[in-house]
Amino acid sequence: MKKLLMHRAAKPLVFVLCLLPFAWLFYAAAADQLGANPAEALIRGLGDWTLRFLCIVLAVTPLRVMTGTPALARFRRMLGLFVAFYALMHLLSYVAFDMGFEVAEIAKDIAKRPFILVGSLAGLLLVLMAATSFNRAIKALGAARWRRLHQSVYMVAALAILHFYWMRAGKNNFSEVAVYGVILASLLGWRVWEALRKRRLSAQRPARTKVGNAAALQKR
């Protein structure tokens, strides 16, 4: 597995696989295969893939730790950029096809449907993280500030689920919302559990060191 993940063709292959959903949606829109309301189908399709890639990128660290496969980390930045890409395409499709780039109409729509404001905020955070995902940004922002910015991905997950929930509330259809909610809650819950486990271990190390030193002194 490690050899496959570290192969020089692995990243280009993952890149192509990540682009396939967008290519299919683009083709389906051009070929008029998105049904009676192609604009809505395109917007929702891009939104669905944003959520899917968000789940995938948040799953990288748990999988890396649980399977002992550190090579998975080399795909995390690319996957994160694709989350931002699909989110941006989702937002631009709404602005272009649903609102016709009419700023006044977009403002009215946001006031009437706050789930759009929540989704736009999540998209903005993703774009900021994508724009600062490179090594130069770490030096420019400083490691601590950069880390805090990129930890907002957890806020993005919450905003994305809230956006999806409010969108489906009109049709009283929450089955998919529940699925994504459980997946994201599990991935975030694992991080909380892992952080608590590491804290317990670090707290136990000084105690063990003191016991070990005491035992050594007694032997002397």
Side-chain angles (χ1 to χ4, degrees), residues 143-158:
R145 193 177 300 168
W146 182 89
R147 193 178 300 110
R148 283 196 297 271
L149 173 61
H150 283 256
Q151 284 175 343
S152 61
V153 68
Y154 308 131
M155 184 187 298
V156 168

Side-chain angles (χ1 to χ4, degrees), residues 3-93:
K3 288 183 179 179
L4 290 174
L5 293 173
M6 295 302 295
H7 195 279
R8 63 181 181 180
K11 275 194 173 182
L13 178 61
V14 171
F15 183 88
V16 171
L17 290 174
C18 290
L19 269 181
L20 284 180
F22 179 76
W24 161 247
L25 287 169
F26 183 84
Y27 165 78
D32 196 20
Q33 294 184 7
L34 290 178
N37 193 340
E40 182 180 0
L42 180 62
I43 294 166
R44 293 199 174 179
L46 289 166
D48 288 343
W49 279 106
T50 303
L51 265 175
R52 288 164 189 160
F53 275 103
L54 182 60
C55 291
I56 290 170
V57 76
L58 287 173
V60 170
T61 298
L63 285 174
R64 176 177 62 80
V65 173
M66 289 188 290
T67 62
T69 315
L72 284 171
R74 66 193 297 256
F75 302 100
R76 186 168 50 196
R77 179 184 293 181
M78 183 195 301
L79 292 169
L81 289 173
F82 269 106
V83 178
F85 169 75
Y86 279 96
L88 185 60
M89 292 300 102
H90 175 58
L91 181 59
L92 288 177
S93 296

Side-chain angles (χ1 to χ4, degrees), residues 196-206 208:
L196 292 173
R197 185 183 69 84
K198 287 180 178 179
R199 187 175 297 177
R200 284 197 302 270
L201 288 175
S202 63
Q204 289 171 1
R205 283 186 192 124
R208 289 175 181 173

